[in-house]
Amino acid sequence: MIKLNDMQNHFIRFLLCGKVEISNKEAATRWNQLGLSWLKPPFVVVKIAPVFSSVAFDKKDKSIFEYEQSVIKLLKREGLTFCTLIDEYNTIQVIISMENNDAVLDDVFIRIHEQLLILYGLDLFIGIGSRVDALEKLAISVADAHLMLAYKYQYADRGVVDIENIVRFQNNSNIGPSISFDRVIGCFQDWDLGRMQIRMNELVEEVRNRPNVSKTSIRRTLIELVVRILNVASYTGVDVDDVLEGKDPYYWILSQNHTEVITEWIMELSSQLILRMDTQIDHVEKDTVRQACEFIEEQLMDPGLGLDAISDRVSLSNAYFSQLFKNEIGIGVNNYITNHRVARGKYLLEKSELKMDDIARQCGFASTNYFNRTFKKITGMTPLQYRKSIKIEKK
């Protein structure tokens, strides 16, 4: 086990999330570039979920760190090749390389479960996901491990639930339900309706092939899907009630007898929402740039005015705001600021008798020399020459 650096940690989390599709070739290339080749397929993801609710709030972070360190020591003792990450629920996610590994994971984690109980006395469950043979499928294993934690009270053997020991979905896709669902949402968020149709068909088939599926299971899944899609659109400012035109998705979907009718309606709804989102986002972006320009005008005297301050003001990342501003205005933020400073300089040179030092300061230049150089670069003459030319013209 090697301690992960930030880039390795970020990429592994990206793979475990599974919302963005990536080919195994692309994943393997990045995996090797990041120096993770020591962790080889096939993989199994295990989720170790202690209950920290009894730990004082101000001691929780320390307890989580110490708990993870204990897990690492116990896994090393078992001779496993692995890495660990903490998820947003304070669950320890373990990615285990099963290459040349004949360990019976049930037995390994039952032992680890017992030792952790002795060490910490906290309630604890462990979910073991499916074995996958490629990096692009890591999200499947983590989804399965998460699903096992949901079955902890029905199937746990001494606190451990292994997906190999319970009834699997009857279809052979090996795609966990949360991954299939999230991939449909991901396609909608990417405005990729063609792929969304494919992913929704896959989701329907997955639900249809589950054991003991009821007649309303597909419809209820599609209801949940529509709710998520509407939430995404609503978050961008779209009036979803206006798009629905009074139709209640819940009752309408439950009243339909044919899945194809429902999926066609969802695709049409998604198309309309994307059109509204496009319009809304365009409006928001224009308003954001307008606010930024007003802020630049207000703060032009500040020599420190730049991308960082403006991005903070409009609550966007530097990279995103910089591209947005350039797309909308046609030039970069720094060039825009410089042009406005020179324009203000021209106005003051023409309308006032202020000294060059005072004009430079009021235009936000750090020094008079910098003001002179910048002014000449843009106008072709020094500020003094410009002032003289203006006086000659007036005569």
Side-chain angles (χ1 to χ4, degrees), residues 357-383:
D357 289 351
D358 294 329
I359 293 177
R361 185 169 56 255
Q362 289 197 28
C363 293
F365 289 98
S367 70
T368 304
N369 286 338
Y370 183 43
F371 169 54
N372 290 337
R373 290 197 307 271
T374 305
F375 192 95
K376 185 174 183 179
K377 182 179 179 180
I378 291 178
T379 67
M381 61 182 77
T382 67

Side-chain angles (χ1 to χ4, degrees), residues 295-351:
F295 179 70
I296 289 170
E297 198 65 36
E298 293 168 3
Q299 303 297 319
L300 202 59
M301 285 183 63
D302 180 5
L305 178 66
L307 181 59
D308 287 346
I310 303 167
S311 298
D312 286 344
R313 178 59 177 254
V314 297
S315 302
L316 294 174
S317 70
N318 285 8
Y320 179 75
F321 172 72
S322 178
Q323 189 62 50
L324 171 63
F325 189 92
K326 189 170 185 178
N327 290 344
E328 193 67 32
I329 300 297
I331 60 173
V333 175
N334 290 332
N335 286 339
Y336 180 88
I337 294 171
T338 300
N339 289 345
H340 272 252
R341 283 176 169 156
V342 170
R344 180 176 288 187
K346 284 182 175 181
Y347 177 83
L348 293 174
L349 287 165
E350 182 179 348
K351 301 295 184 182

Side-chain angles (χ1 to χ4, degrees), residues 243-260:
V243 179
L244 288 170
E245 298 180 335
K247 181 177 289 186
D248 185 323
Y250 181 85
Y251 292 109
W252 185 83
I253 290 175
L254 284 181
S255 69
Q256 300 304 304
N257 294 320
H258 301 289
T259 302
E260 291 75 12

